[in-house]
Amino acid sequence: MEKLQEEIALRGMDIDVVQLKNSWEFYRQMNMDKRALEDRLAELKNSKKQLKRSEQTSEIQQELHKLGLQQKVIQEDIKTMKQAIWDMDDNVVRRVLKLPNNLDPRTPIVESMVLRSVGNAPDSSVPESRTHVEIGTRLGLLKYQNPMSYYLCNKAALFELGVLAHADRVLIDGDNMLKVIGTDFGRSLVVEGLGLDHEDPMSAFLIENHEEVERDSSNRMHLIGGACLPSFLTLHAKQLINPNDFPLKYLATGRQYTPSPADSALCGLFTACQASVAHVFTMVKDGKSEEYRTLFDQLVDNVCRLYDDLCDHYRVVMKSAPQLEPWESLRVSFELWSPSAKRYIEVGHLSACGDYFSKRLLITYQTSTGRSFPAAITGTVLSVPRLLGCLLEQNPHKFVIPPKVAELAPSGDCVAV
């Protein structure tokens, strides 16, 4: 309890752990009392059956009448308790599901830690420059309307195709990943398993008037994109994985759909609701093993190799506890400098999540003593809009596709612009 309360305080979350624990124990006790009543009801029914088989005397009739009265009282009690437990489900269980993941010992407590800085850091004293939307529009690379609607043109469109192909080349060859195509749509079950509020349209896009699902259903459809965490969780939810298949290593490149936070200042491609991305998802048997930590460090190194080919300067930052999402125990961010915003922008990240997802979505593997829950490492390692926005601002006069990306980008002659 003390450790949980301490970690919640470090994350800056407002949860009364003691009160929640008391509510949870009361909820469990009510379920135990209901089961005891159900057992007693079964005993009464069995006793009535036995009495009915015996010779019917006045004493037997009186006993049957007494058992019948007890049966009615218990049935009413069970009905009342069921309604109370259903009401508590919406209160207590939802609050318990909002408890965050355990923090990794390496996670900084207060301030983020810069693990690596590649290239020369920018001069922050330079007067404020133009935004990437202004630069992209002037160079004929971008038609931006709002976070929901924008178009990449000419070299920017070629860059999008080439950089995703280069991400495939680096990550698949460097880490033996399996390229997959995820589903663009997901159920509320998976969104909630991720730790998000599936009824909040600002957490995940809701599909309205979907003919296969009722409007008030608790398991509606969401637009998520084929290269995102919910898409991978959809593939593995309620699955029993062959233990010989670990470690699982997947890569998906494609679309990702994320609502813009309502309280954020919208700033062009940095808060675009639809993005072309590269997303990785891996699983190992034990989240406390050396293999788990080694795999995470190897993924960080391979993503750094990717950014070595894309830009002159970037930094790798380990995020502090208050900056983590509830499902993250550790987060490493890859950041580029934005001259217009005068701050670093996260263009990719990797998160260690332990068995948080597998326990919530029943992702298991067989062991000699039963079943166990694997640990996950995941993250959007590259977001094309965010990367492009930073590169445009760093070189506002001319956009040059990095050589490694140009090798894989289609020629302009074969692309409609």
Side-chain angles (χ1 to χ4, degrees):
M1 286 293 295
E2 291 180 1
K3 183 176 183 296
L4 177 59
Q5 185 69 70
E6 179 184 354
E7 292 195 353
I8 287 175
L10 290 176
R11 288 177 177 266
M13 302 177 72
D14 184 18
I15 299 177
D16 187 338
V17 176
V18 175
Q19 192 274 336
L20 181 57
K21 178 175 181 289
N22 293 336
S23 298
W24 177 253
E25 290 180 346
F26 181 66
Y27 172 77
R28 289 182 61 192
Q29 186 62 48
M30 287 190 67
N31 276 283
M32 292 172 62
D33 292 343
K34 181 176 74 72
R35 286 193 291 270
L37 286 174
E38 290 172 341
D39 292 340
R40 177 56 180 159
L41 183 62
E43 291 175 2
L44 290 175
K45 290 180 177 179
N46 186 50
S47 298
K48 287 179 66 176
K49 286 182 181 179
Q50 293 179 357
L51 287 175
K52 288 178 179 179
R53 295 194 189 104
S54 61
E55 183 179 351
Q56 299 299 302
T57 63
S58 59
E59 291 81 3
I60 295 296
Q61 291 295 331
Q62 290 179 0
E63 186 65 23
L64 283 171
H65 179 68
K66 187 188 300 183
L67 293 177
L69 291 176
Q70 292 183 35
Q71 181 177 339
K72 289 182 179 180
V73 171
I74 292 177
Q75 286 174 336
E76 286 298 319
D77 289 345
I78 291 175
K79 182 180 179 181
T80 302
M81 293 193 71
K82 280 184 177 180
Q83 184 60 51
I85 290 173
W86 288 339
D87 293 339
M88 291 190 70
D89 281 340
D90 288 336
N91 181 14
V92 179
V93 176
R94 285 194 180 194
R95 290 162 59 200
V96 170
L97 288 174
K98 290 181 180 179
L99 287 175
N101 202 347
N102 297 324
L103 290 175
D104 189 285
R106 292 179 288 175
T107 296
I109 294 177
V110 179
E111 295 185 358
S112 299
M113 181 189 306
V114 178
L115 301 178
R116 188 181 308 179
S117 182
V118 178
N120 297 322
D123 184 2
S124 58
S125 64
V126 175
E128 184 176 346
S129 63
R130 293 183 177 181
T131 67
H132 58 269
V133 174
E134 296 172 327
I135 297 168
T137 302
R138 178 173 55 83
L139 296 177
L141 302 173
L142 177 65
K143 291 182 180 179
Y144 182 87
Q145 297 177 1
N146 54 59
M148 296 286 292
S149 177
Y150 68 93
Y151 303 91
L152 302 184
C153 310
N154 300 309
K155 280 188 176 181
L158 300 178
F159 171 78
E160 178 184 49
L161 298 174
V163 75
L164 293 179
H166 183 56
D168 284 351
R169 179 169 60 181
V170 172
L171 297 174
I172 292 177
D173 293 346
D175 212 15
N176 297 319
M177 287 193 160
L178 177 65
K179 180 73 178 291
V180 299
I181 300 174
T183 173
D184 283 322
F185 302 94
R187 294 285 188 182
S188 299
L189 169 72
V190 176
V191 173
E192 187 177 52
L194 178 59
L196 298 175
D197 183 357
H198 65 88
E199 296 180 345
D200 181 6
M202 299 311 298
S203 295
F205 287 117
L206 281 165
I207 305 298
E208 294 288 350
N209 302 322
H210 188 250
E211 60 184 14
E212 294 182 6
V213 182
E214 295 181 5
R215 184 179 181 86
D216 296 328
S217 170
S218 61
N219 197 22
R220 298 167 67 184
M221 290 289 286
H222 301 261
L223 177 65
I224 54 178
C228 67
L229 177 56
S231 181
F232 280 109
L233 294 178
T234 297
L235 296 175
H236 294 87
K238 296 185 178 180
Q239 296 294 318
L240 178 63
I241 301 173
N242 188 331
N244 296 324
D245 292 338
F246 289 105
L248 303 177
K249 298 181 181 181
Y250 301 119
L251 168 69
T253 54
R255 288 292 187 183
Q256 187 177 101
Y257 301 98
T258 308
S260 294
D263 58 349
S264 69
L266 301 179
C267 47
L269 297 179
F270 296 155
T271 53
C273 294
Q274 55 175 323
S276 293
V277 305
H279 192 98
V280 299
F281 182 82
T282 67
M283 274 191 164
V284 299
K285 292 181 182 179
D286 186 0
K288 297 180 180 179
S289 65
E290 186 64 28
E291 178 189 25
Y292 182 68
R293 179 166 181 159
T294 300
L295 180 57
F296 185 86
D297 293 340
Q298 287 176 348
L299 280 170
V300 171
D301 290 339
N302 284 331
V303 177
C304 286
R305 288 178 47 227
L306 173 61
Y307 283 103
D308 287 340
D309 298 334
L310 301 180
C311 50
D312 296 327
H313 171 66
Y314 69 93
R315 70 177 192 175
V316 184
V317 179
M318 186 174 288
K319 293 296 186 178
S320 62
Q323 296 174 295
L324 301 187
E325 297 291 346
W327 59 85
E328 295 174 316
S329 62
L330 176 70
R331 181 187 183 102
V332 169
S333 172
F334 304 92
E335 301 178 345
L336 269 67
W337 178 256
S338 167
S340 68
K342 288 194 175 297
R343 64 183 178 92
Y344 282 94
I345 301 296
E346 181 182 274
V347 296
H349 75 274
L350 273 173
S351 302
C353 305
D355 55 12
Y356 183 86
F357 301 130
S358 58
K359 284 185 174 180
R360 292 166 69 98
L361 294 172
L362 296 180
I363 305 171
T364 61
Y365 67 93
Q366 195 69 43
T367 67
S368 58
T369 58
R371 294 184 179 182
S372 189
F373 301 96
I377 299 170
T378 186
T380 300
V381 296
L382 185 148
S383 172
V384 175
R386 287 170 170 257
L387 174 63
L388 179 62
C390 291
L391 294 179
L392 287 174
E393 292 184 6
Q394 291 173 11
N395 189 0
H397 305 294
K398 182 180 180 181
F399 179 63
V400 179
I401 298 179
K404 292 287 187 179
V405 176
E407 295 174 3
L408 300 173
S411 65
D413 296 333
C414 64
V415 176
V417 296

